[in-house]
């Protein structure tokens, strides 16, 4: 994808767009649970949300869109970073616990965060998902796990990459 441009989400102007965005999200019951994007997923394992702005189509990352709902605007070059190490999570980290879920940051912050997780700071250290293929596989498994509502066992299995055989 192109480098991230400025993204504006105005609750009054973009109400229908926000409602469509929310229709693609399944939330877990605990604050530690991720809110999982169940819409389109790209080859890199990250979600895709398609908008029409000013008559032209636009594709954005759902977790960055979620940040824009919260703050009204995400500046060019500012990324959404996953402290939960789950590319399809769109839950914004709470002010009281910024070490969960999606936070905003620069590319430099992202490099620092990835190095920290490689040192063992990630929540899901059981199996690393550094490759695009594995990341997409997990994202698709998570989407499947919540297709009929939040299934805690299926979500945990998908996060750990421990999928039962699908018949
Ligand atoms: Zn999360």
């Amino acid at each position: 994808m192109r480098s991230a441009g400025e993204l504006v989400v105005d609750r009054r102007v973009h109400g229908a767009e926000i409602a469509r965005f929310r229709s693609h999200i399944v939330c877990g019951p605990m604050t530690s649970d991720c809110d999982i994007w169940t819409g389109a997923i790209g080859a890199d394992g990250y979600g895709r949300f398609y908008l029409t702005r000013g008559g032209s189509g636009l594709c954005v990352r759902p977790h960055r869109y979620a940040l824009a709902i919260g703050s009204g605007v995400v500046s060019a070059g500012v990324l959404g970073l996953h402290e939960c190490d789950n590319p399809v999570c769109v839950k914004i980290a709470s002010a009281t616990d910024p070490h969960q879920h999606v936070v905003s940051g620069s590319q430099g912050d992202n490099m620092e965060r990835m190095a920290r997780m490689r040192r063992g700071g990630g929540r899901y250290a059981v199996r690393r998902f550094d490759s695009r293929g594995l990341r997409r596989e997990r994202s698709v498994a998570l989407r499947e796990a919540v297709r009929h509502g939040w299934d805690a066992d299926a979500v945990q299995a998908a996060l750990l990459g421990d999928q039962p055989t699908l018949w």
Side-chain angles (χ1 to χ4, degrees):
M1 295 176 85
R2 289 182 303 122
S3 62
E6 182 183 75
L7 177 60
V8 174
V9 178
D10 184 310
R11 287 169 190 266
R12 285 167 304 174
V13 178
H14 304 116
E17 187 184 274
I18 293 170
R20 188 166 59 82
F21 176 79
R22 295 216 163 108
S23 75
H24 290 300
I25 298 168
V26 177
C27 302
M30 320 266 284
T31 51
S32 58
D33 288 331
C34 294
D35 290 352
I36 293 178
W37 172 256
T38 63
I41 295 173
D44 58 3
Y46 285 89
R48 298 284 189 270
F49 184 48
Y50 298 95
L51 320 175
T52 303
R53 292 286 181 88
S56 55
L58 183 67
C59 175
V60 300
R61 292 193 167 192
H63 59 287
R64 195 163 178 269
Y65 188 89
L67 282 173
I69 294 175
S71 63
V73 59
V74 176
S75 303
V78 174
L79 308 172
L81 309 179
H82 286 103
E83 290 293 333
C84 54
D85 200 20
N86 178 3
V88 286
C89 177
V90 296
K91 180 181 274 187
I92 302 306
S94 75
T96 54
D97 189 357
H99 298 295
Q100 293 187 69
H101 311 294
V102 179
V103 297
S104 59
S106 66
Q107 183 59 36
D109 293 333
N110 192 34
M111 302 301 279
E112 186 278 329
R113 188 194 64 88
M114 286 194 295
R116 171 159 47 86
M117 287 199 171
R118 265 194 289 275
R119 289 192 301 266
R123 284 169 67 196
Y124 307 114
V126 175
R127 177 176 164 191
R128 294 303 311 160
F129 292 87
D130 289 334
S131 89
R132 284 164 61 96
L134 282 177
R135 209 185 314 136
R136 182 169 203 283
E137 198 177 288
R138 181 174 71 153
S139 294
V140 170
L142 275 170
R143 181 172 62 184
E144 203 54 43
V146 299
R147 184 172 292 281
H148 305 292
W150 189 270
D151 179 333
D153 291 341
V155 167
Q156 190 64 17
L159 285 171
L160 298 177
D162 181 29
Q163 278 294 284
T165 304
L166 296 173
W167 300 98

